[in-house]
Each structure stands twice: as structure tokens, then as C-alpha cells.
Amino acid sequence: MTQAVKTPRPVRAASAAPRAQSRKTVRKAPVGLALAGGGPLGGIYEVGALAALEEAFDGLDFTEIDIFVGVSSGGFIAAALANGMSPGKLARMLVENDTEEVFDPDTLLRPAIGEYFRRAMSVPPLLLNAFRHYLADPWHSGLLESFQRLSHAIPTGIFDNAGIDRLLARMFSTRGRSNDFRRLKHRLYLVATDLDTGEAVEFGAAGFDDVPISTAVQASAALPGLFPPVEIQGRYYVDGALIKTLHASVALRDGAELVLCVNPLVPFDSELAERRDHKSRHSVNHLVEGGLPVVLSQTFRAIIHSRMKVGMDRYRHLHPGVDVVLFEPTRDDADMFFANVFSYSSRKKLCEHAYQRTRQDLYRRRHELAPILERHGISLNLAVLRDHERSLLTHEEGIPQGSTERALEIALEDLGHWLKQKRGA
């Protein structure tokens, strides 16, 4: 079954000459890609996962997807892909030194000095008004009530993410790329939340496509408390994940008949990890032992994942016949949950980890995924997935850890599937 009505597609001006057609760009229907947020951790995971998906999908080039939708850190990845930057190049930017373009997550950790200064300057008049309010009627005005207005001087963010705007503006203004939604070859939507209305705004859609892509990425990733809201044309915007986790519905409304979704954050199941012996490298037996950061991380993951599951069910109900496929870590993935993304070596390992885990997930789900993908002119390259020596990292890293065990696992899975078919015959 297909959708009865489709929204007409806007005409977009290309910023560069169309690429030559290859076996990876022949498809039957529009394809969308929806990338969730998750901070630097989520962005690094998504790059590794996308690298695995691209090399395993014959018939799909991830820089030639019809509709890109990004939220928060997923917005940075989506904008880069829409500008022709492949997952492999993004991986080298994040974790390698063999590219002249480097993105360092430490860029996001610069203190918001300007915000601190503005708030500090507001303290004297606020303090004066508090005294006036209290002294005007000390018998009825409580001291705490009068001085509560001093809370207006608390900074709205700890870190300054304006560097993201500047970095991406430079990156998207060279080599045939564009920082203008209207000049992209493919459709790109970056979702943020209007702070004053609480509504989602799709930068890149009509009426919001004159905003620079780099600024839209900054707004979409402005997580309240960590980063100050981003002012755009007199409005203030914060992280798009406040409304939805994926916003895959944006691609569905724009006519996509297959939407690939990547969500990097799932709740961690410590008991499952213990049973599968995936927690041996981490000293925490109960998450509460990790302190407030770990507790908040688990809480945030549980909230957004529960909300995403509701959204996925809604997509199936509202868009029957349209395929929405989700890729995400398993709940026992301790390496993903406890990763320190601000360590260079950890970023490198996490990207490789996401790559290998996604390859395993693809092979495990191959019988489920193959018919879905084939409906859209895409096939799974099983030879690539069976190549247990394949690595995302540079050659000097050697064979990925556990490759021998993975080869045995693949062989046993193939044997089990063959025996099942024989019994069925």
C-alpha cells in the first residue's frame, strides 16, 4: 500500500554539477534519512553506523539521499551528508588525522563568557528592584519572594556553541558545498524548538529556508542548560529533541517511501549486560554508583527512547505501506553508555565500535531487512557483512578486536538458518 496523496516537491537549485550516476544511485522511490540527537557521543556513533550502512547497501549512496532530516548532533551529520560529505570522510574528520578538515568535539566546551557577562551586568538592577519590592511592603512581601527575581541573572547555558556556526559556515562555503538550504541538490530539514511557543520549527522548509545551514545546526543542538538559546531573526531556539526524538515524520510528509532512522541513545540495561558479560571493563555495578551524570544520562535516554517508540508506532499507523527502519545500539552496550567522547582514543574506539556493531546488526536482521530494502531498489551486500577483517579505522589498527569470534558467529548463524530451511522443506 502506498500513500494516497503526496506533497509536491519544491524545485531546488543545485550548487554544483550533478554527480555521475552509479550503481549506488539507482532507486525506485524517494528515500529519507532521519538522524536523532545525542551530543558528541551520538554524532560519533551515527558516523560509524552510517559508514557500515553505506558499504553494506548496494543501490544507495548516502550523499544522494532525497530527504535529510537532522536533530541536534544529528543535524550536523545530516547537513554534512547533504553537502556531499560521505560517512567515511566524516569518520576521518572526527577520529583520524588524514584529512585537512577536522571537527573536534572540544569546540563545544568553551565557556559562554558573553552569556556570563550579560547576566552578571543584570545583577545590580535586579538586586535594587528586589530591595524596593521588599521595603515597599515588608509585612506582606517575603524576603525570599522579593529576591526570587535574582534568578533572572542565572546564565541560560554553561558552554558557548557559537563556534559550531563559524566552523560549519567555513566548511559549507568551500569545495562546491553550500551553506544555503535553497542551493542544495537534495532536501535538508534541521529541526529546532521555538523557545517562546514550544513548537518544532523545520529549518529548510518554506519560510525557514533563508537561515544559514550552520546557524540552523547550532539552534537545533542548543540543549537547554548546556548551551544558551540561539537567536534567529528575533526568535529564540533550542534543541529540536525537546519535541520529538527523530522527526522522521518530516521526511514522510515530504514523500519519502523508505525512511532510514539512526538513534544513538538507548537506556542501558545493566542486568542484561551482566548476563552477557558486556560490563566487565566497567567498574560500576549499579548505575547510581556513577553519580549524577550517569543517573541523568540513563533518565534522559529512557525518556527519549520511550517517546521514540510511541512515534515509531504512530508512523506505522499514519503511513501504512511506507517503510521506516530503525538502527540503534543494543541495551547491553556498555561501551556506548560509558564512553568518554572527549577523549581522542575513546572517540576513535567508539566510531569503530558503532561501525562493527551496526554490521553485526545488519547481518543478524538480514532476512528481515532484505525484502524491505529490495522494494526500494536496495540490496544487502552479504559478502561485505561476512568480511570479519573489515575495519573503519586505518590499516595500522589491524584486525578488529574479536574478529575470530565474529567469523565463528557468522558461520554458526548461516548453518542455523540453512538447517531451519531444510526442516521447513
Side-chain angles (χ1 to χ4, degrees), residues 417-425:
H417 182 67
W418 181 81
L419 291 173
K420 184 177 179 181
Q421 286 184 320
K422 287 295 183 182
R423 286 196 298 269

Side-chain angles (χ1 to χ4, degrees), residues 360 388 399-412:
Q360 294 174 22
H388 56 276
I399 298 174
Q401 184 179 10
S403 60
T404 303
E405 293 85 348
R406 179 59 189 151
L408 178 60
E409 181 184 348
I410 287 175
L412 291 174

Side-chain angles (χ1 to χ4, degrees), residues 2 8 11 62 103 108 140 149 156 170 178 193-194 201 205 214-215 252 258 295 297 308 320 335-336 365 374 400:
T2 57
V11 177
F62 274 74
F103 175 75
L108 301 175
H140 295 92
R149 63 193 61 201
T156 56
R170 290 195 302 269
S178 178
T193 303
D194 187 316
V201 172
S214 56
T215 306
L252 292 171
L258 168 66
V295 172
S297 176
M308 187 197 67
D335 290 326
M336 177 62 182
R365 297 167 61 189
E374 286 173 3

Side-chain angles (χ1 to χ4, degrees), residues 201-340:
V201 172
E202 300 159 14
F203 291 108
F208 294 94
D209 55 0
D210 58 338
V211 175
I213 294 173
S214 56
T215 306
V217 171
Q218 181 192 1
S220 180
L223 183 64
L226 284 183
F227 304 109
V230 177
E231 182 182 2
I232 301 176
Q233 298 174 356
R235 309 291 299 181
Y236 289 87
Y237 298 93
V238 293
D239 199 310
L242 268 63
I243 306 298
K244 292 181 183 177
T245 303
L246 275 168
H247 290 275
S249 57
V250 176
L252 292 171
R253 289 200 308 268
D254 205 8
E257 296 182 13
L258 168 66
V259 181
L260 305 173
C261 305
V262 182
N263 170 51
L265 299 185
V266 299
F268 179 62
D269 189 332
S270 59
E271 294 183 356
L272 179 62
E274 190 73 41
R275 290 197 299 271
R276 295 181 178 177
D277 195 28
H278 290 171
K279 216 172 67 167
S280 58
R281 292 186 298 278
H282 304 282
S283 58
V284 175
N285 293 317
H286 299 283
L287 294 185
V288 70
E289 297 172 18
L292 182 61
V294 170
V295 172
L296 289 178
S297 176
Q298 178 75 332
T299 302
F300 178 72
R301 288 163 181 257
I303 291 173
I304 65 172
H305 197 260
S306 173
R307 186 177 60 186
M308 187 197 67
K309 288 174 64 177
V310 173
M312 295 294 287
D313 291 337
R314 186 180 298 116
Y315 298 150
R316 284 188 281 270
H317 175 70
L318 297 178
H319 302 273
V322 174
D323 295 308
V324 181
V325 183
L326 175 66
F327 300 95
E328 59 183 7
T330 56
R331 296 188 59 156
D332 64 333
D333 194 338
D335 290 326
M336 177 62 182
F337 185 80
F338 291 101
N340 176 11

Side-chain angles (χ1 to χ4, degrees), residues 158-172:
I158 301 173
F159 302 113
D160 183 6
N161 64 350
I164 275 289
D165 188 2
R166 294 190 294 270
L167 184 148
L168 294 183
R170 290 195 302 269
M171 186 182 298
F172 295 157

